[in-house]
Amino acid sequence: MKRCHVLWALFLWAISAVAQETAKPVELRAFATYGYNYTWEHYGNFDFLVRVPLNRHFELDAAAELSTANLYTLSADARPLFPLTVGELYIDTRLLYRAVVRNRMHELSASLGLGYRMDYVDVQLGVYTRSMFEFNRDWHSEDEIVTEPFGFLYSIEVFVRPQSSNWNLSFRISDTDDFQIERMWQPLFMIGGRYSPTERLSVLMQAQCKPTGMFHLNASFYGAQFRAGISYKL
């Protein structure tokens, strides 16, 4: 137990050291989520995310999600940045792993996107691929791996106020979020809110709706979730 405490203290010290040497602070986020869909029915999630700006031209994201639906997700994102006169361009390179324990299945996704973000908008276009395989597969055989063809990734998010404001609202349509990459015809509709009582601390809320059949002219409700959390900048 003492060894765990020492390792955790070293981890926090390392993050703080990086935060002091970068133009932007390291950001830690934690969320609690309630959701419902026709597959898992009622479920809850606990989400943990960290963003580390290594310098003005590069940042790293890491995230983990624990779900009462017996799913566990890890995500890693390396993001080169190209500052412009207004806003910045970025390349989004992401790996996402999900252990679907309830169905004894692994899911591995990778995506590559080109984006632009500024005070009032964040837009991204890209491609992704996904592979699925069972827990007890024979690792010397590729017959038991199901790989989807490359899909189209997109995201459009609009903000009502500048990012420097102490509160903001956003509206987003995308086929991806922090812990999932959906097929292009399965968009996610999201409304987000942020209130920052101090420069370091923010309260975050987000509502998400996932319809099915959107691009087949037969849209119907599939699932929804609501999450609330906090953000702290070191």
Side-chain angles (χ1 to χ4, degrees), residues 16-191:
S16 299
V18 172
Q20 293 172 3
E21 297 178 1
T22 57
K24 296 180 181 179
V26 172
E27 182 179 7
L28 304 176
R29 294 186 179 190
F31 290 93
T33 302
Y34 165 75
Y36 173 86
N37 63 45
Y38 289 147
T39 303
W40 307 337
E41 297 186 337
H42 301 277
Y43 63 91
N45 297 338
F46 298 96
D47 305 341
F48 305 94
L49 307 93
V50 58
R51 171 164 292 178
V52 182
L54 296 180
N55 54 54
R56 188 167 178 259
H57 301 281
F58 199 86
E59 65 186 18
L60 295 173
D61 288 355
E65 180 174 75
L66 313 176
S67 177
T68 60
N70 210 9
L71 291 88
Y72 307 92
T73 308
L74 296 174
S75 176
D77 206 331
R79 190 176 300 112
L81 307 172
F82 306 92
L84 303 175
T85 304
V86 178
E88 60 187 3
L89 289 173
Y90 61 88
I91 297 174
D92 202 76
T93 60
R94 184 180 181 194
L95 287 175
L96 191 149
Y97 167 75
R98 172 176 285 180
V100 189
V101 179
R102 57 183 291 144
N103 302 114
R104 301 191 59 77
M105 184 181 74
H106 303 281
E107 181 179 307
L108 181 64
S109 303
S111 67
L112 177 65
L114 176 64
Y116 170 76
R117 65 189 183 190
M118 48 94 74
D119 269 344
Y120 293 97
V121 68
D122 187 341
V123 180
Q124 184 184 158
L125 297 175
V127 294
Y128 74 90
T129 183
R130 173 168 35 225
S131 296
M132 293 165 283
F133 46 95
E134 295 180 353
F135 275 9
N136 299 320
R137 65 173 294 273
D138 182 359
W139 290 100
H140 300 288
S141 171
E142 296 182 358
D143 295 339
E144 300 174 21
I145 300 178
V146 177
T147 301
E148 296 182 355
F150 281 98
F152 180 52
L153 180 147
Y154 57 90
S155 175
I156 303 173
E157 186 170 16
V158 178
F159 301 87
V160 301
R161 305 191 73 197
Q163 299 300 318
S164 57
S165 302
N166 68 332
W167 69 270
N168 213 336
L169 292 174
S170 66
F171 304 89
R172 183 172 184 233
I173 178 172
S174 177
D175 60 348
T176 181
D177 66 12
D178 291 327
F179 297 103
Q180 62 181 319
I181 300 176
E182 269 295 352
R183 296 172 178 86
M184 61 173 291
W185 55 82
Q186 196 97 336
L188 310 171
F189 296 90
M190 289 163 275
I191 299 176

